[in-house]
Amino acid sequence: MTHSSWEVLTDGGVGVDVGAKLDGDDYVGMMLAAVGSFGKVYGFEPDPAGFAKLKEAYGDKPNVILEQKAVTNEDGPVPLIRDGSHYSLVHKGSSGLTAEGVTLDSYFKDTLKVDCVKVDVEGGEYKVLMGAREIIRRNPQIKFIVEMHQNILDQNGISEQKMAGLVEELGLDVLLGGGTWLLGTKGFG
């Protein structure tokens, strides 16, 4: 993901980091710098160790809300599958860990504004977008920055064409393609 992607967030905005594990780039920090003291940043990370790092780094920031939850297409418990140094919701196998699953729609049902959602969830990108229909409808200015893990998506029956079909169905345009997709609602590119 490129740092220029954060141009979609402005002072007072609302940013959401889905898969907020601090393992290199710090997107919560980049979002926080963009939204300033009047904005909000939400960070979702189901991995216990990753969440602990987030809490250590941002737990004292009043405009950062951290959730140890897995964003997906249904609310309820979901298994976390270990894949090397990451957890995934879509790999085969089991780690014996579960996380509370939540959709963006249910979590933000009472939130009027969401400006930007960054998604890096090791193959669960399709499920995250499936659970975001209402926030897309309510926020015509919204942008999604989606780190595509197409090899994992393919293993789970989600081709690039199927993903593109969902993007179209949701009323989004691909503003930038490749390994990272920048998505925006039609007419707000």
Side-chain angles (χ1 to χ4, degrees), residues 55-81:
K55 255 189 111 116
E56 184 179 323
Y58 294 105
D60 64 340
K61 304 289 185 209
N63 59 338
V64 176
I65 295 92
L66 301 174
E67 298 286 358
Q68 190 175 349
K69 296 180 181 187
V71 177
T72 187
N73 61 330
E74 295 180 0
D75 293 338
V78 293
L80 291 177
I81 296 102

mmCIF file of all heavy atoms in Angstrom, residues 55-81:
data_model
loop_
_atom_site.group_PDB
_atom_site.id
_atom_site.type_symbol
_atom_site.label_atom_id
_atom_site.label_comp_id
_atom_site.label_asym_id
_atom_site.label_seq_id
_atom_site.Cartn_x
_atom_site.Cartn_y
_atom_site.Cartn_z
ATOM 1 N N LYS A 55 -2.473 -2.031 21.352
ATOM 2 C CA LYS A 55 -2.863 -1.413 22.628
ATOM 3 C C LYS A 55 -1.688 -0.672 23.264
ATOM 4 O O LYS A 55 -1.860 0.413 23.811
ATOM 5 C CB LYS A 55 -3.390 -2.474 23.588
ATOM 6 C CG LYS A 55 -4.895 -2.419 23.731
ATOM 7 C CD LYS A 55 -5.351 -3.323 24.831
ATOM 8 C CE LYS A 55 -5.858 -2.503 25.937
ATOM 9 N NZ LYS A 55 -7.227 -2.598 26.284
ATOM 10 N N GLU A 56 -0.519 -1.280 23.164
ATOM 11 C CA GLU A 56 0.670 -0.632 23.719
ATOM 12 C C GLU A 56 0.968 0.678 22.993
ATOM 13 O O GLU A 56 1.308 1.686 23.597
ATOM 14 C CB GLU A 56 1.873 -1.577 23.614
ATOM 15 C CG GLU A 56 3.128 -1.039 24.239
ATOM 16 C CD GLU A 56 4.278 -2.030 24.136
ATOM 17 O OE1 GLU A 56 4.043 -3.245 24.247
ATOM 18 O OE2 GLU A 56 5.413 -1.565 23.934
ATOM 19 N N ALA A 57 0.824 0.666 21.669
ATOM 20 C CA ALA A 57 1.143 1.847 20.869
ATOM 21 C C ALA A 57 0.061 2.923 20.926
ATOM 22 O O ALA A 57 0.381 4.117 20.909
ATOM 23 C CB ALA A 57 1.389 1.436 19.419
ATOM 24 N N TYR A 58 -1.222 2.528 20.979
ATOM 25 C CA TYR A 58 -2.302 3.500 20.810
ATOM 26 C C TYR A 58 -3.379 3.469 21.885
ATOM 27 O O TYR A 58 -4.348 4.215 21.796
ATOM 28 C CB TYR A 58 -2.967 3.303 19.438
ATOM 29 C CG TYR A 58 -2.026 3.618 18.319
ATOM 30 C CD1 TYR A 58 -1.448 2.603 17.568
ATOM 31 C CD2 TYR A 58 -1.673 4.932 18.043
ATOM 32 C CE1 TYR A 58 -0.558 2.892 16.560
ATOM 33 C CE2 TYR A 58 -0.778 5.235 17.038
ATOM 34 C CZ TYR A 58 -0.221 4.206 16.297
ATOM 35 O OH TYR A 58 0.665 4.497 15.315
ATOM 36 N N GLY A 59 -3.221 2.640 22.896
ATOM 37 C CA GLY A 59 -4.244 2.505 23.920
ATOM 38 C C GLY A 59 -4.542 3.774 24.689
ATOM 39 O O GLY A 59 -5.618 3.930 25.257
ATOM 40 N N ASP A 60 -3.603 4.712 24.693
ATOM 41 C CA ASP A 60 -3.807 5.958 25.440
ATOM 42 C C ASP A 60 -4.303 7.107 24.572
ATOM 43 O O ASP A 60 -4.471 8.214 25.054
ATOM 44 C CB ASP A 60 -2.502 6.360 26.133
ATOM 45 C CG ASP A 60 -1.383 6.691 25.152
ATOM 46 O OD1 ASP A 60 -1.455 6.266 23.973
ATOM 47 O OD2 ASP A 60 -0.425 7.371 25.552
ATOM 48 N N LYS A 61 -4.552 6.861 23.308
ATOM 49 C CA LYS A 61 -5.010 7.919 22.393
ATOM 50 C C LYS A 61 -6.535 7.994 22.444
ATOM 51 O O LYS A 61 -7.219 7.021 22.124
ATOM 52 C CB LYS A 61 -4.566 7.643 20.953
ATOM 53 C CG LYS A 61 -3.075 7.455 20.780
ATOM 54 C CD LYS A 61 -2.348 8.749 20.950
ATOM 55 C CE LYS A 61 -0.870 8.552 20.643
ATOM 56 N NZ LYS A 61 -0.029 9.450 21.358
ATOM 57 N N PRO A 62 -7.090 9.137 22.826
ATOM 58 C CA PRO A 62 -8.545 9.224 22.996
ATOM 59 C C PRO A 62 -9.343 9.079 21.698
ATOM 60 O O PRO A 62 -10.508 8.695 21.740
ATOM 61 C CB PRO A 62 -8.758 10.604 23.621
ATOM 62 C CG PRO A 62 -7.530 11.377 23.304
ATOM 63 C CD PRO A 62 -6.412 10.384 23.177
ATOM 64 N N ASN A 63 -8.744 9.363 20.571
ATOM 65 C CA ASN A 63 -9.496 9.261 19.322
ATOM 66 C C ASN A 63 -9.127 8.018 18.510
ATOM 67 O O ASN A 63 -9.402 7.934 17.320
ATOM 68 C CB ASN A 63 -9.367 10.532 18.481
ATOM 69 C CG ASN A 63 -7.935 10.870 18.116
ATOM 70 O OD1 ASN A 63 -7.003 10.440 18.777
ATOM 71 N ND2 ASN A 63 -7.775 11.650 17.069
ATOM 72 N N VAL A 64 -8.520 7.035 19.179
ATOM 73 C CA VAL A 64 -8.251 5.732 18.569
ATOM 74 C C VAL A 64 -9.043 4.681 19.334
ATOM 75 O O VAL A 64 -8.907 4.553 20.548
ATOM 76 C CB VAL A 64 -6.744 5.380 18.577
ATOM 77 C CG1 VAL A 64 -6.511 3.979 18.039
ATOM 78 C CG2 VAL A 64 -5.948 6.401 17.774
ATOM 79 N N ILE A 65 -9.889 3.955 18.618
ATOM 80 C CA ILE A 65 -10.710 2.896 19.211
ATOM 81 C C ILE A 65 -10.181 1.572 18.685
ATOM 82 O O ILE A 65 -10.166 1.346 17.461
ATOM 83 C CB ILE A 65 -12.208 3.067 18.854
ATOM 84 C CG1 ILE A 65 -12.756 4.351 19.474
ATOM 85 C CG2 ILE A 65 -13.016 1.885 19.354
ATOM 86 C CD1 ILE A 65 -12.678 5.530 18.597
ATOM 87 N N LEU A 66 -9.720 0.720 19.582
ATOM 88 C CA LEU A 66 -9.138 -0.563 19.195
ATOM 89 C C LEU A 66 -10.084 -1.697 19.561
ATOM 90 O O LEU A 66 -10.648 -1.705 20.658
ATOM 91 C CB LEU A 66 -7.793 -0.754 19.893
ATOM 92 C CG LEU A 66 -6.747 0.317 19.589
ATOM 93 C CD1 LEU A 66 -5.503 0.109 20.447
ATOM 94 C CD2 LEU A 66 -6.387 0.326 18.103
ATOM 95 N N GLU A 67 -10.236 -2.637 18.649
ATOM 96 C CA GLU A 67 -11.129 -3.780 18.853
ATOM 97 C C GLU A 67 -10.403 -5.069 18.509
ATOM 98 O O GLU A 67 -9.872 -5.205 17.413
ATOM 99 C CB GLU A 67 -12.377 -3.656 17.972
ATOM 100 C CG GLU A 67 -13.237 -2.452 18.262
ATOM 101 C CD GLU A 67 -14.035 -2.586 19.545
ATOM 102 O OE1 GLU A 67 -13.963 -3.634 20.224
ATOM 103 O OE2 GLU A 67 -14.761 -1.628 19.883
ATOM 104 N N GLN A 68 -10.391 -6.012 19.447
ATOM 105 C CA GLN A 68 -9.818 -7.331 19.182
ATOM 106 C C GLN A 68 -10.915 -8.197 18.565
ATOM 107 O O GLN A 68 -11.437 -9.114 19.192
ATOM 108 C CB GLN A 68 -9.252 -7.967 20.449
ATOM 109 C CG GLN A 68 -8.445 -9.208 20.143
ATOM 110 C CD GLN A 68 -7.764 -9.783 21.373
ATOM 111 O OE1 GLN A 68 -7.718 -9.175 22.424
ATOM 112 N NE2 GLN A 68 -7.234 -10.980 21.215
ATOM 113 N N LYS A 69 -11.261 -7.866 17.323
ATOM 114 C CA LYS A 69 -12.327 -8.543 16.597
ATOM 115 C C LYS A 69 -11.863 -8.815 15.174
ATOM 116 O O LYS A 69 -11.009 -8.107 14.647
ATOM 117 C CB LYS A 69 -13.587 -7.679 16.561
ATOM 118 C CG LYS A 69 -14.182 -7.431 17.930
ATOM 119 C CD LYS A 69 -15.422 -6.578 17.873
ATOM 120 C CE LYS A 69 -15.923 -6.364 19.300
ATOM 121 N NZ LYS A 69 -17.192 -5.685 19.350
ATOM 122 N N ALA A 70 -12.477 -9.831 14.575
ATOM 123 C CA ALA A 70 -12.232 -10.171 13.175
ATOM 124 C C ALA A 70 -13.361 -9.600 12.333
ATOM 125 O O ALA A 70 -14.521 -9.931 12.562
ATOM 126 C CB ALA A 70 -12.159 -11.684 13.006
ATOM 127 N N VAL A 71 -13.053 -8.728 11.396
ATOM 128 C CA VAL A 71 -14.079 -8.167 10.522
ATOM 129 C C VAL A 71 -14.321 -9.151 9.388
ATOM 130 O O VAL A 71 -13.388 -9.579 8.698
ATOM 131 C CB VAL A 71 -13.664 -6.788 9.997
ATOM 132 C CG1 VAL A 71 -14.702 -6.252 9.025
ATOM 133 C CG2 VAL A 71 -13.468 -5.820 11.162
ATOM 134 N N THR A 72 -15.583 -9.514 9.210
ATOM 135 C CA THR A 72 -15.954 -10.517 8.218
ATOM 136 C C THR A 72 -17.372 -10.228 7.726
ATOM 137 O O THR A 72 -17.853 -9.109 7.868
ATOM 138 C CB THR A 72 -15.768 -11.944 8.805
ATOM 139 O OG1 THR A 72 -15.985 -12.913 7.793
ATOM 140 C CG2 THR A 72 -16.634 -12.191 10.006
ATOM 141 N N ASN A 73 -18.046 -11.237 7.186
ATOM 142 C CA ASN A 73 -19.385 -11.037 6.621
ATOM 143 C C ASN A 73 -20.518 -11.468 7.558
ATOM 144 O O ASN A 73 -21.681 -11.380 7.184
ATOM 145 C CB ASN A 73 -19.518 -11.756 5.280
ATOM 146 C CG ASN A 73 -19.323 -13.246 5.400
ATOM 147 O OD1 ASN A 73 -18.583 -13.717 6.258
ATOM 148 N ND2 ASN A 73 -19.963 -14.006 4.541
ATOM 149 N N GLU A 74 -20.210 -11.936 8.755
ATOM 150 C CA GLU A 74 -21.222 -12.350 9.728
ATOM 151 C C GLU A 74 -20.736 -12.029 11.130
ATOM 152 O O GLU A 74 -19.544 -12.111 11.415
ATOM 153 C CB GLU A 74 -21.477 -13.861 9.651
ATOM 154 C CG GLU A 74 -22.080 -14.340 8.356
ATOM 155 C CD GLU A 74 -22.297 -15.841 8.337
ATOM 156 O OE1 GLU A 74 -21.972 -16.523 9.333
ATOM 157 O OE2 GLU A 74 -22.788 -16.326 7.316
ATOM 158 N N ASP A 75 -21.678 -11.712 11.998
ATOM 159 C CA ASP A 75 -21.343 -11.516 13.404
ATOM 160 C C ASP A 75 -21.328 -12.868 14.103
ATOM 161 O O ASP A 75 -22.115 -13.749 13.765
ATOM 162 C CB ASP A 75 -22.383 -10.619 14.081
ATOM 163 C CG ASP A 75 -22.358 -9.193 13.551
ATOM 164 O OD1 ASP A 75 -21.331 -8.776 12.996
ATOM 165 O OD2 ASP A 75 -23.376 -8.492 13.701
ATOM 166 N N GLY A 76 -20.428 -13.033 15.065
ATOM 167 C CA GLY A 76 -20.353 -14.273 15.832
ATOM 168 C C GLY A 76 -18.944 -14.823 15.843
ATOM 169 O O GLY A 76 -18.045 -14.300 15.184
ATOM 170 N N PRO A 77 -18.721 -15.895 16.593
ATOM 171 C CA PRO A 77 -17.372 -16.450 16.715
ATOM 172 C C PRO A 77 -16.865 -17.016 15.389
ATOM 173 O O PRO A 77 -17.637 -17.619 14.635
ATOM 174 C CB PRO A 77 -17.511 -17.555 17.760
ATOM 175 C CG PRO A 77 -18.961 -17.781 17.943
ATOM 176 C CD PRO A 77 -19.700 -16.617 17.391
ATOM 177 N N VAL A 78 -15.597 -16.779 15.110
ATOM 178 C CA VAL A 78 -14.951 -17.308 13.901
ATOM 179 C C VAL A 78 -13.610 -17.932 14.290
ATOM 180 O O VAL A 78 -12.926 -17.437 15.188
ATOM 181 C CB VAL A 78 -14.733 -16.209 12.835
ATOM 182 C CG1 VAL A 78 -16.052 -15.699 12.284
ATOM 183 C CG2 VAL A 78 -13.909 -15.057 13.374
ATOM 184 N N PRO A 79 -13.233 -19.021 13.624
ATOM 185 C CA PRO A 79 -11.935 -19.631 13.929
ATOM 186 C C PRO A 79 -10.797 -18.820 13.317
ATOM 187 O O PRO A 79 -10.924 -18.298 12.209
ATOM 188 C CB PRO A 79 -12.031 -21.013 13.273
ATOM 189 C CG PRO A 79 -13.006 -20.833 12.163
ATOM 190 C CD PRO A 79 -13.980 -19.779 12.623
ATOM 191 N N LEU A 80 -9.711 -18.703 14.057
ATOM 192 C CA LEU A 80 -8.496 -18.078 13.534
ATOM 193 C C LEU A 80 -7.542 -19.189 13.124
ATOM 194 O O LEU A 80 -7.235 -20.077 13.929
ATOM 195 C CB LEU A 80 -7.830 -17.206 14.594
ATOM 196 C CG LEU A 80 -8.551 -15.944 14.996
ATOM 197 C CD1 LEU A 80 -7.784 -15.226 16.105
ATOM 198 C CD2 LEU A 80 -8.740 -15.018 13.814
ATOM 199 N N ILE A 81 -7.078 -19.153 11.895
ATOM 200 C CA ILE A 81 -6.186 -20.182 11.384
ATOM 201 C C ILE A 81 -4.793 -19.577 11.227
ATOM 202 O O ILE A 81 -4.625 -18.545 10.586
ATOM 203 C CB ILE A 81 -6.699 -20.749 10.042
ATOM 204 C CG1 ILE A 81 -8.049 -21.464 10.247
ATOM 205 C CG2 ILE A 81 -5.708 -21.743 9.461
ATOM 206 C CD1 ILE A 81 -9.216 -20.672 9.828
#
